Amino acid sequence: MRATLGNDLHQVPMRIDWRSLRRSLLPLIAAALCCLLTRPAWALPEGYGVLQGGGYFVGRAEPESHIRFAGQSVPVDAEGRFILGFERMMEGEYPLSVNVPGQAEQRFQLDIEGRDYRIQRVDGLDPSRVTPPEEQLARILAEAERVKAARARRVDSEGWLEPFVWPAYGRISGVYGSQRILNGTPSAPHWGIDVAVPTGTPVYAPASGVVTLAEPDLYFSGGTVLLNHGMGLTSSFLHLSGVHVSVGDQVEQGELIAAVGTTGRSTGPHLDWRVSLADVRIDAGLMVPEQEELCTVEGEGDQVVVLVHGLGRTDRSMARLAGALQEAGFATCNQEYPSRKETVPELSAYVANAVERVNRQGYDTVHLVTHSLGGILARYWLQRADLPGQGRVVMLSPPNHGSEVIDALGDQAWFQWIMGPAALELSTDDEALVNQLDPINVPVGVITGTRSSDPWFNVLFQGDHDGKVSVASARLSEADGFRLAEAGHTFIMNDEDVRFWVAFFLTNGFFP
């Protein structure tokens, strides 16, 4: 955690009185910054998402809450979870109210950021390419009704809570919100993201759900599949050359559902992936990391280890461990992510997409090795997913039950501003996200340190710890192995014994 509060002090000579430092310096810094910084907007209401036109917000309230957004009632599941979708041209403040029986109404204002979209004028077109033939209108209307009914169907699925993965990886040839003006007449905005790949390229489910439409040849969209992820959130896949599912099929994330084509009104082979929440069109591109941000495989092994760094670090912090794993016969994929900018649910999509893309490249077994926050991202995704093949997980210094550092500093505005929203989900409180995660069903080994890398935090702990996470907090009930290393939190991945233990567990499923 290079970016956490004390790490800049690593370069201070050890003659400094650390006891005096933690008693005087930290409170002074806190007091000064608290005067300058306000509480971040993402602190309320509870949830995560992208607050801009075409974006979304996943929130949580008390069970049996009644929620209204922009004057409309919002469905809430049995645990109080809900999802909002923002129209393409939304901009400004919109009211969100939460009513819990027997409690005072909570009111929030969601500030939606406006967006600019690409507008293209095309003149001199054959009118038949702008307006469909009159004899096709009856067919077009009938198909539109089938699509509308399929999108409105309610299904029992929690796929909407999963970190989404790309249904196909490839060059982006079209984006959400763009619009063409054809012969002076504005066409409907483009509601999807286009992935230009050859005909026949497999299309996979971006999240679990139930198939509500499977048509081989609609007038506009050609081969079309609608996959409902629950709570009215639906993915649409257009211009398909092959449909491999049927209405009513329940599919899991990463399951093959179709093949890319150029059917319907299409000018070339591509996948048009769209997402809607009831009648609101959402930008699918906001639900997944940009493909350019996903790691690439290095090394010659036939099994790949995806490495995931910790809070405030970069992929460079895992480079030496990646090299050691390559020497041990593994290929590696060292995934970076913006650890201080997004929440755990959002950041876990980097883990999901890194593993999924590696698997689609032909590697049948994919492992995970994580440091600190990276382990929580892996756990969040693996609640509802599995690793390919005989994949295993090794977590280094994971705050599986939170960190006392977050308990001490998480309420400070300056700390929130520096460390970001994911850090606040790592407290030891029973209600914190990290303590609400379900068990995962893959072989897991945990290695944590017993030597403090951050002595200014020592006063916060009782019992053994590594400077950021206590030994007790690192433990995981479903773990298949647990080892202690005489190493600190920040650089545990560079310890020679730790590197050996990681490779051994990935190979054998237990520690030596």
Side-chain angles (χ1 to χ4, degrees), residues 339-389:
S339 63
R340 293 183 294 174
K341 293 183 178 180
E342 298 176 354
T343 63
V344 166
E346 294 168 287
L347 295 173
S348 63
Y350 286 86
V351 180
N353 277 272
V355 173
E356 184 70 18
R357 191 166 77 159
V358 166
N359 184 224
R360 294 183 200 173
Q361 291 172 348
Y363 295 95
D364 294 332
T365 297
V366 184
H367 306 285
L368 276 172
V369 173
T370 67
H371 176 230
S372 191
L373 172 63
I376 307 306
L377 306 187
R379 284 181 59 201
Y380 187 91
W381 172 56
L382 289 170
Q383 291 178 107
R384 298 180 175 90
D386 290 312
L387 286 174

CSV table of all heavy atoms in Angstrom, one decimal, residues 339-389:
chain,number,residue,atom,x,y,z
A,339,SER,N,-7.1,1.7,-8.0
A,339,SER,CA,-7.5,1.3,-6.7
A,339,SER,C,-8.1,2.3,-5.8
A,339,SER,O,-8.9,2.1,-4.9
A,339,SER,CB,-6.3,0.6,-5.9
A,339,SER,OG,-5.3,1.5,-5.7
A,340,ARG,N,-7.7,3.6,-6.0
A,340,ARG,CA,-8.2,4.7,-5.2
A,340,ARG,C,-9.3,5.5,-5.8
A,340,ARG,O,-9.7,6.6,-5.3
A,340,ARG,CB,-7.0,5.6,-4.8
A,340,ARG,CG,-6.0,4.9,-3.9
A,340,ARG,CD,-4.9,5.9,-3.5
A,340,ARG,NE,-4.1,6.3,-4.6
A,340,ARG,CZ,-3.1,7.2,-4.6
A,340,ARG,NH1,-2.9,7.8,-3.4
A,340,ARG,NH2,-2.4,7.5,-5.6
A,341,LYS,N,-9.9,5.0,-6.9
A,341,LYS,CA,-10.9,5.8,-7.6
A,341,LYS,C,-12.3,5.2,-7.6
A,341,LYS,O,-13.3,5.9,-7.9
A,341,LYS,CB,-10.5,6.0,-9.1
A,341,LYS,CG,-9.2,6.9,-9.3
A,341,LYS,CD,-8.9,7.1,-10.7
A,341,LYS,CE,-7.7,8.1,-10.9
A,341,LYS,NZ,-7.4,8.3,-12.3
A,342,GLU,N,-12.4,3.9,-7.4
A,342,GLU,CA,-13.7,3.2,-7.5
A,342,GLU,C,-13.9,2.3,-6.2
A,342,GLU,O,-13.0,2.1,-5.4
A,342,GLU,CB,-13.7,2.4,-8.8
A,342,GLU,CG,-13.7,3.3,-10.0
A,342,GLU,CD,-13.6,2.5,-11.3
A,342,GLU,OE1,-13.6,1.2,-11.2
A,342,GLU,OE2,-13.7,3.1,-12.4
A,343,THR,N,-15.1,1.7,-6.2
A,343,THR,CA,-15.4,0.9,-5.1
A,343,THR,C,-15.0,-0.6,-5.3
A,343,THR,O,-14.6,-0.9,-6.5
A,343,THR,CB,-17.0,0.9,-4.8
A,343,THR,OG1,-17.6,0.4,-6.0
A,343,THR,CG2,-17.5,2.3,-4.6
A,344,VAL,N,-15.1,-1.4,-4.3
A,344,VAL,CA,-14.8,-2.8,-4.5
A,344,VAL,C,-15.6,-3.5,-5.6
A,344,VAL,O,-15.1,-4.2,-6.5
A,344,VAL,CB,-14.9,-3.6,-3.2
A,344,VAL,CG1,-14.9,-5.1,-3.4
A,344,VAL,CG2,-13.8,-3.2,-2.2
A,345,PRO,N,-17.0,-3.3,-5.6
A,345,PRO,CA,-17.7,-4.0,-6.7
A,345,PRO,C,-17.3,-3.5,-8.1
A,345,PRO,O,-17.2,-4.3,-9.0
A,345,PRO,CB,-19.2,-3.5,-6.4
A,345,PRO,CG,-19.2,-3.3,-4.9
A,345,PRO,CD,-17.9,-2.7,-4.6
A,346,GLU,N,-17.0,-2.2,-8.3
A,346,GLU,CA,-16.5,-1.8,-9.6
A,346,GLU,C,-15.1,-2.3,-9.9
A,346,GLU,O,-14.9,-2.7,-11.0
A,346,GLU,CB,-16.5,-0.2,-9.6
A,346,GLU,CG,-17.9,0.4,-9.5
A,346,GLU,CD,-17.8,1.9,-9.2
A,346,GLU,OE1,-17.5,2.3,-8.1
A,346,GLU,OE2,-18.1,2.7,-10.1
A,347,LEU,N,-14.2,-2.2,-9.0
A,347,LEU,CA,-12.9,-2.7,-9.2
A,347,LEU,C,-12.8,-4.2,-9.5
A,347,LEU,O,-11.9,-4.6,-10.2
A,347,LEU,CB,-12.0,-2.3,-8.0
A,347,LEU,CG,-11.8,-0.8,-7.8
A,347,LEU,CD1,-11.0,-0.6,-6.5
A,347,LEU,CD2,-11.1,-0.1,-9.0
A,348,SER,N,-13.7,-4.9,-8.9
A,348,SER,CA,-13.6,-6.4,-9.1
A,348,SER,C,-13.8,-6.8,-10.6
A,348,SER,O,-13.5,-7.9,-11.0
A,348,SER,CB,-14.7,-7.1,-8.2
A,348,SER,OG,-16.0,-6.7,-8.6
A,349,ALA,N,-14.4,-5.9,-11.4
A,349,ALA,CA,-14.6,-6.1,-12.8
A,349,ALA,C,-13.2,-6.3,-13.5
A,349,ALA,O,-13.1,-6.9,-14.5
A,349,ALA,CB,-15.4,-5.0,-13.5
A,350,TYR,N,-12.2,-5.6,-13.0
A,350,TYR,CA,-10.9,-5.8,-13.6
A,350,TYR,C,-10.4,-7.2,-13.4
A,350,TYR,O,-9.8,-7.8,-14.3
A,350,TYR,CB,-9.9,-4.8,-12.9
A,350,TYR,CG,-10.0,-3.4,-13.4
A,350,TYR,CD1,-11.0,-2.6,-12.7
A,350,TYR,CD2,-9.3,-2.9,-14.5
A,350,TYR,CE1,-11.1,-1.2,-13.2
A,350,TYR,CE2,-9.5,-1.6,-14.9
A,350,TYR,CZ,-10.4,-0.8,-14.2
A,350,TYR,OH,-10.6,0.5,-14.7
A,351,VAL,N,-10.6,-7.8,-12.2
A,351,VAL,CA,-10.2,-9.2,-12.0
A,351,VAL,C,-11.0,-10.1,-12.9
A,351,VAL,O,-10.5,-11.0,-13.5
A,351,VAL,CB,-10.5,-9.6,-10.5
A,351,VAL,CG1,-10.1,-11.0,-10.2
A,351,VAL,CG2,-9.7,-8.6,-9.6
A,352,ALA,N,-12.4,-9.9,-12.9
A,352,ALA,CA,-13.2,-10.8,-13.7
A,352,ALA,C,-12.8,-10.8,-15.2
A,352,ALA,O,-12.7,-11.8,-15.8
A,352,ALA,CB,-14.7,-10.3,-13.6
A,353,ASN,N,-12.6,-9.6,-15.7
A,353,ASN,CA,-12.2,-9.5,-17.1
A,353,ASN,C,-10.8,-10.0,-17.5
A,353,ASN,O,-10.6,-10.6,-18.5
A,353,ASN,CB,-12.4,-8.0,-17.6
A,353,ASN,CG,-13.8,-7.6,-18.0
A,353,ASN,OD1,-14.2,-7.8,-19.1
A,353,ASN,ND2,-14.5,-7.2,-17.0
A,354,ALA,N,-9.9,-9.8,-16.5
A,354,ALA,CA,-8.5,-10.3,-16.8
A,354,ALA,C,-8.6,-11.8,-16.9
A,354,ALA,O,-8.0,-12.4,-17.8
A,354,ALA,CB,-7.6,-9.9,-15.6
A,355,VAL,N,-9.3,-12.5,-15.9
A,355,VAL,CA,-9.4,-13.9,-15.9
A,355,VAL,C,-10.1,-14.4,-17.1
A,355,VAL,O,-9.7,-15.4,-17.8
A,355,VAL,CB,-10.0,-14.4,-14.6
A,355,VAL,CG1,-10.3,-15.9,-14.7
A,355,VAL,CG2,-9.2,-14.1,-13.4
A,356,GLU,N,-11.3,-13.8,-17.4
A,356,GLU,CA,-12.1,-14.2,-18.6
A,356,GLU,C,-11.4,-14.1,-19.9
A,356,GLU,O,-11.4,-15.0,-20.7
A,356,GLU,CB,-13.4,-13.4,-18.6
A,356,GLU,CG,-14.4,-13.8,-19.6
A,356,GLU,CD,-15.0,-15.1,-19.3
A,356,GLU,OE1,-15.0,-15.6,-18.2
A,356,GLU,OE2,-15.6,-15.7,-20.3
A,357,ARG,N,-10.7,-13.0,-20.1
A,357,ARG,CA,-10.0,-12.8,-21.4
A,357,ARG,C,-8.8,-13.8,-21.5
A,357,ARG,O,-8.6,-14.4,-22.6
A,357,ARG,CB,-9.4,-11.4,-21.5
A,357,ARG,CG,-8.9,-11.2,-23.0
A,357,ARG,CD,-8.7,-9.7,-23.3
A,357,ARG,NE,-7.5,-9.2,-22.7
A,357,ARG,CZ,-6.8,-8.1,-23.2
A,357,ARG,NH1,-7.4,-7.5,-24.2
A,357,ARG,NH2,-5.7,-7.7,-22.6
A,358,VAL,N,-8.1,-14.1,-20.4
A,358,VAL,CA,-7.0,-15.1,-20.5
A,358,VAL,C,-7.6,-16.5,-20.8
A,358,VAL,O,-7.1,-17.2,-21.7
A,358,VAL,CB,-6.3,-15.1,-19.2
A,358,VAL,CG1,-5.4,-16.4,-19.1
A,358,VAL,CG2,-5.4,-13.9,-19.0
A,359,ASN,N,-8.7,-16.8,-20.2
A,359,ASN,CA,-9.3,-18.1,-20.5
A,359,ASN,C,-9.8,-18.2,-22.0
A,359,ASN,O,-9.6,-19.3,-22.6
A,359,ASN,CB,-10.5,-18.3,-19.6
A,359,ASN,CG,-11.2,-19.6,-19.7
A,359,ASN,OD1,-12.4,-19.7,-19.7
A,359,ASN,ND2,-10.4,-20.7,-19.8
A,360,ARG,N,-10.3,-17.1,-22.5
A,360,ARG,CA,-10.7,-17.2,-23.9
A,360,ARG,C,-9.6,-17.2,-24.9
A,360,ARG,O,-9.8,-17.6,-26.1
A,360,ARG,CB,-11.6,-15.9,-24.2
A,360,ARG,CG,-12.9,-15.9,-23.5
A,360,ARG,CD,-13.8,-14.7,-23.9
A,360,ARG,NE,-14.8,-14.4,-22.9
A,360,ARG,CZ,-15.6,-13.3,-23.0
A,360,ARG,NH1,-15.4,-12.4,-24.0
A,360,ARG,NH2,-16.4,-13.1,-22.0
A,361,GLN,N,-8.4,-16.9,-24.4
A,361,GLN,CA,-7.2,-17.0,-25.3
A,361,GLN,C,-6.7,-18.4,-25.3
A,361,GLN,O,-5.7,-18.6,-26.0
A,361,GLN,CB,-6.1,-16.0,-24.8
A,361,GLN,CG,-6.5,-14.6,-24.9
A,361,GLN,CD,-5.5,-13.6,-24.3
A,361,GLN,OE1,-4.6,-14.1,-23.4
A,361,GLN,NE2,-5.5,-12.4,-24.6
A,362,GLY,N,-7.4,-19.3,-24.7
A,362,GLY,CA,-7.0,-20.7,-24.8
A,362,GLY,C,-6.3,-21.3,-23.6
A,362,GLY,O,-5.9,-22.5,-23.6
A,363,TYR,N,-6.1,-20.6,-22.5
A,363,TYR,CA,-5.5,-21.1,-21.3
A,363,TYR,C,-6.6,-21.7,-20.5
A,363,TYR,O,-7.5,-21.0,-20.0
A,363,TYR,CB,-4.8,-20.0,-20.5
A,363,TYR,CG,-3.6,-19.4,-21.3
A,363,TYR,CD1,-3.7,-18.3,-22.1
A,363,TYR,CD2,-2.4,-20.1,-21.2
A,363,TYR,CE1,-2.6,-17.8,-22.7
A,363,TYR,CE2,-1.3,-19.5,-21.9
A,363,TYR,CZ,-1.4,-18.4,-22.6
A,363,TYR,OH,-0.3,-17.9,-23.3
A,364,ASP,N,-6.6,-23.0,-20.3
A,364,ASP,CA,-7.7,-23.7,-19.6
A,364,ASP,C,-7.6,-23.6,-18.1
A,364,ASP,O,-8.7,-23.8,-17.4
A,364,ASP,CB,-7.7,-25.2,-20.0
A,364,ASP,CG,-8.0,-25.4,-21.5
A,364,ASP,OD1,-8.7,-24.6,-22.0
A,364,ASP,OD2,-7.6,-26.4,-22.0
A,365,THR,N,-6.5,-23.3,-17.5
A,365,THR,CA,-6.3,-23.1,-16.1
A,365,THR,C,-5.8,-21.8,-15.8
A,365,THR,O,-4.7,-21.4,-16.3
A,365,THR,CB,-5.4,-24.2,-15.5
A,365,THR,OG1,-5.9,-25.5,-15.7
A,365,THR,CG2,-5.2,-24.0,-14.0
A,366,VAL,N,-6.5,-21.0,-15.0
A,366,VAL,CA,-6.1,-19.7,-14.6
A,366,VAL,C,-6.1,-19.6,-13.1
A,366,VAL,O,-7.1,-19.9,-12.4
A,366,VAL,CB,-7.0,-18.6,-15.2
A,366,VAL,CG1,-6.5,-17.2,-14.9
A,366,VAL,CG2,-7.2,-18.8,-16.7
A,367,HIS,N,-5.0,-19.1,-12.5
A,367,HIS,CA,-4.9,-18.9,-11.1
A,367,HIS,C,-4.9,-17.4,-10.7
A,367,HIS,O,-4.8,-16.6,-11.6
A,367,HIS,CB,-3.5,-19.5,-10.5
A,367,HIS,CG,-3.3,-20.9,-10.9
A,367,HIS,ND1,-3.9,-21.9,-10.3
A,367,HIS,CD2,-2.5,-21.5,-11.8
A,367,HIS,CE1,-3.5,-23.1,-10.8
A,367,HIS,NE2,-2.6,-22.8,-11.7
A,368,LEU,N,-5.1,-17.1,-9.5
A,368,LEU,CA,-5.1,-15.7,-9.0
A,368,LEU,C,-4.1,-15.6,-7.8
A,368,LEU,O,-4.1,-16.5,-6.9
A,368,LEU,CB,-6.5,-15.3,-8.5
A,368,LEU,CG,-7.5,-14.8,-9.5
A,368,LEU,CD1,-8.8,-14.6,-8.9
A,368,LEU,CD2,-7.0,-13.4,-10.1
A,369,VAL,N,-3.2,-14.6,-7.9
A,369,VAL,CA,-2.4,-14.3,-6.7
A,369,VAL,C,-2.6,-12.8,-6.4
A,369,VAL,O,-2.4,-11.9,-7.3
A,369,VAL,CB,-0.9,-14.5,-7.0
A,369,VAL,CG1,0.0,-14.0,-5.9
A,369,VAL,CG2,-0.6,-16.0,-7.2
A,370,THR,N,-3.0,-12.5,-5.2
A,370,THR,CA,-3.4,-11.1,-4.9
A,370,THR,C,-2.7,-10.6,-3.7
A,370,THR,O,-2.1,-11.3,-2.9
A,370,THR,CB,-4.9,-11.1,-4.5
A,370,THR,OG1,-5.1,-11.8,-3.3
A,370,THR,CG2,-5.8,-11.7,-5.6
A,371,HIS,N,-2.6,-9.3,-3.6
A,371,HIS,CA,-2.0,-8.6,-2.5
A,371,HIS,C,-3.1,-7.6,-1.9
A,371,HIS,O,-3.7,-6.9,-2.6
A,371,HIS,CB,-0.8,-7.8,-2.9
A,371,HIS,CG,-0.2,-7.0,-1.7
A,371,HIS,ND1,0.1,-5.7,-1.9
A,371,HIS,CD2,0.1,-7.3,-0.5
A,371,HIS,CE1,0.6,-5.2,-0.7
A,371,HIS,NE2,0.6,-6.2,0.2
A,372,SER,N,-3.3,-7.7,-0.6
A,372,SER,CA,-4.1,-6.8,0.2
A,372,SER,C,-5.5,-6.6,-0.4
A,372,SER,O,-6.2,-7.6,-0.5
A,372,SER,CB,-3.4,-5.4,0.3
A,372,SER,OG,-4.0,-4.6,1.2
A,373,LEU,N,-5.9,-5.4,-0.9
A,373,LEU,CA,-7.2,-5.2,-1.5
A,373,LEU,C,-7.5,-6.1,-2.6
A,373,LEU,O,-8.6,-6.5,-2.9
A,373,LEU,CB,-7.3,-3.7,-1.9
A,373,LEU,CG,-8.5,-3.3,-2.7
A,373,LEU,CD1,-9.8,-3.5,-1.9
A,373,LEU,CD2,-8.4,-1.9,-3.2
A,374,GLY,N,-6.4,-6.5,-3.4
A,374,GLY,CA,-6.6,-7.4,-4.5
A,374,GLY,C,-7.3,-8.7,-4.1
A,374,GLY,O,-8.1,-9.2,-4.9
A,375,GLY,N,-7.1,-9.2,-2.9
A,375,GLY,CA,-7.7,-10.4,-2.4
A,375,GLY,C,-9.2,-10.1,-2.2
A,375,GLY,O,-10.0,-11.1,-2.4
A,376,ILE,N,-9.6,-9.0,-1.8
A,376,ILE,CA,-11.0,-8.7,-1.6
A,376,ILE,C,-11.7,-8.5,-2.9
A,376,ILE,O,-12.9,-9.0,-3.1
A,376,ILE,CB,-11.2,-7.4,-0.8
A,376,ILE,CG1,-10.3,-7.5,0.5
A,376,ILE,CG2,-12.6,-7.1,-0.5
A,376,ILE,CD1,-10.6,-8.7,1.4
A,377,LEU,N,-11.1,-8.0,-3.9
A,377,LEU,CA,-11.7,-7.9,-5.3
A,377,LEU,C,-11.9,-9.3,-5.8
A,377,LEU,O,-13.0,-9.6,-6.4
A,377,LEU,CB,-10.8,-7.1,-6.2
A,377,LEU,CG,-10.3,-5.7,-5.8
A,377,LEU,CD1,-9.6,-5.1,-6.9
A,377,LEU,CD2,-11.5,-4.9,-5.4
A,378,ALA,N,-10.9,-10.2,-5.6
A,378,ALA,CA,-11.1,-11.6,-6.0
A,378,ALA,C,-12.2,-12.3,-5.3
A,378,ALA,O,-13.1,-12.9,-5.9
A,378,ALA,CB,-9.8,-12.4,-5.8
A,379,ARG,N,-12.3,-12.1,-4.0
A,379,ARG,CA,-13.4,-12.7,-3.2
A,379,ARG,C,-14.8,-12.2,-3.7
A,379,ARG,O,-15.7,-12.9,-3.8
A,379,ARG,CB,-13.2,-12.4,-1.7
A,379,ARG,CG,-12.2,-13.2,-1.1
A,379,ARG,CD,-12.1,-12.9,0.4
A,379,ARG,NE,-13.4,-13.1,1.1
A,379,ARG,CZ,-13.7,-12.6,2.2
A,379,ARG,NH1,-12.9,-11.7,2.8
A,379,ARG,NH2,-14.9,-12.8,2.8
A,380,TYR,N,-14.9,-10.9,-4.0
A,380,TYR,CA,-16.1,-10.3,-4.4
A,380,TYR,C,-16.6,-11.0,-5.7
A,380,TYR,O,-17.8,-11.4,-5.8
A,380,TYR,CB,-16.0,-8.8,-4.6
A,380,TYR,CG,-17.3,-8.1,-4.9
A,380,TYR,CD1,-18.1,-7.6,-3.8
A,380,TYR,CD2,-17.8,-8.0,-6.2
A,380,TYR,CE1,-19.3,-7.0,-4.1
A,380,TYR,CE2,-19.1,-7.4,-6.4
A,380,TYR,CZ,-19.8,-6.9,-5.4
A,380,TYR,OH,-21.0,-6.4,-5.6
A,381,TRP,N,-15.7,-11.1,-6.7
A,381,TRP,CA,-16.1,-11.7,-7.9
A,381,TRP,C,-16.4,-13.2,-7.8
A,381,TRP,O,-17.4,-13.7,-8.3
A,381,TRP,CB,-15.0,-11.5,-9.0
A,381,TRP,CG,-15.2,-12.3,-10.2
A,381,TRP,CD1,-16.3,-12.2,-11.0
A,381,TRP,CD2,-14.3,-13.2,-10.8
A,381,TRP,NE1,-16.2,-13.1,-12.1
A,381,TRP,CE2,-15.0,-13.7,-12.0
A,381,TRP,CE3,-13.1,-13.7,-10.5
A,381,TRP,CZ2,-14.4,-14.6,-12.8
A,381,TRP,CZ3,-12.5,-14.6,-11.3
A,381,TRP,CH2,-13.1,-15.1,-12.5
A,382,LEU,N,-15.5,-13.9,-7.0
A,382,LEU,CA,-15.7,-15.3,-6.9
A,382,LEU,C,-16.8,-15.8,-6.0
A,382,LEU,O,-17.1,-17.0,-5.9
A,382,LEU,CB,-14.4,-15.9,-6.3
A,382,LEU,CG,-13.2,-15.9,-7.3
A,382,LEU,CD1,-11.9,-16.3,-6.5
A,382,LEU,CD2,-13.4,-16.8,-8.4
A,383,GLN,N,-17.6,-14.8,-5.4
A,383,GLN,CA,-18.8,-15.2,-4.7
A,383,GLN,C,-19.8,-15.9,-5.6
A,383,GLN,O,-20.5,-16.8,-5.3
A,383,GLN,CB,-19.5,-14.0,-4.1
A,383,GLN,CG,-18.8,-13.3,-3.0
A,383,GLN,CD,-19.7,-12.1,-2.6
A,383,GLN,OE1,-20.3,-12.0,-1.6
A,383,GLN,NE2,-19.6,-11.0,-3.4
A,384,ARG,N,-19.8,-15.5,-6.9
A,384,ARG,CA,-20.7,-16.0,-7.9
A,384,ARG,C,-20.0,-16.5,-9.1
A,384,ARG,O,-20.7,-16.7,-10.1
A,384,ARG,CB,-21.7,-14.8,-8.3
A,384,ARG,CG,-22.5,-14.3,-7.2
A,384,ARG,CD,-23.4,-13.1,-7.7
A,384,ARG,NE,-24.3,-12.7,-6.6
A,384,ARG,CZ,-24.0,-11.7,-5.8
A,384,ARG,NH1,-22.8,-11.1,-5.9
A,384,ARG,NH2,-24.8,-11.3,-4.8
A,385,ALA,N,-18.8,-16.8,-9.0
A,385,ALA,CA,-18.0,-17.3,-10.2
A,385,ALA,C,-17.0,-18.3,-9.8
A,385,ALA,O,-16.8,-18.6,-8.6
A,385,ALA,CB,-17.3,-16.1,-10.9
A,386,ASP,N,-16.4,-19.0,-10.8
A,386,ASP,CA,-15.3,-20.0,-10.5
A,386,ASP,C,-14.1,-19.6,-11.4
A,386,ASP,O,-14.3,-19.0,-12.4
A,386,ASP,CB,-15.8,-21.4,-10.8
A,386,ASP,CG,-16.9,-21.9,-9.9
A,386,ASP,OD1,-16.6,-21.7,-8.6
A,386,ASP,OD2,-17.9,-22.4,-10.3
A,387,LEU,N,-13.0,-20.1,-11.0
A,387,LEU,CA,-11.8,-20.0,-11.8
A,387,LEU,C,-11.8,-21.1,-12.9
A,387,LEU,O,-12.3,-22.2,-12.6
A,387,LEU,CB,-10.5,-20.1,-11.0
A,387,LEU,CG,-10.2,-18.8,-10.1
A,387,LEU,CD1,-9.0,-19.1,-9.2
A,387,LEU,CD2,-9.9,-17.6,-11.0
A,388,PRO,N,-11.3,-20.8,-14.1
A,388,PRO,CA,-11.2,-21.9,-15.1
A,388,PRO,C,-10.3,-23.0,-14.7
A,388,PRO,O,-9.3,-22.8,-14.0
A,388,PRO,CB,-10.7,-21.1,-16.3
A,388,PRO,CG,-10.9,-19.7,-16.0
A,388,PRO,CD,-10.8,-19.5,-14.5
A,389,GLY,N,-10.7,-24.2,-15.1
A,389,GLY,CA,-9.8,-25.4,-14.9
A,389,GLY,C,-9.7,-25.6,-13.4
A,389,GLY,O,-10.6,-25.6,-12.6
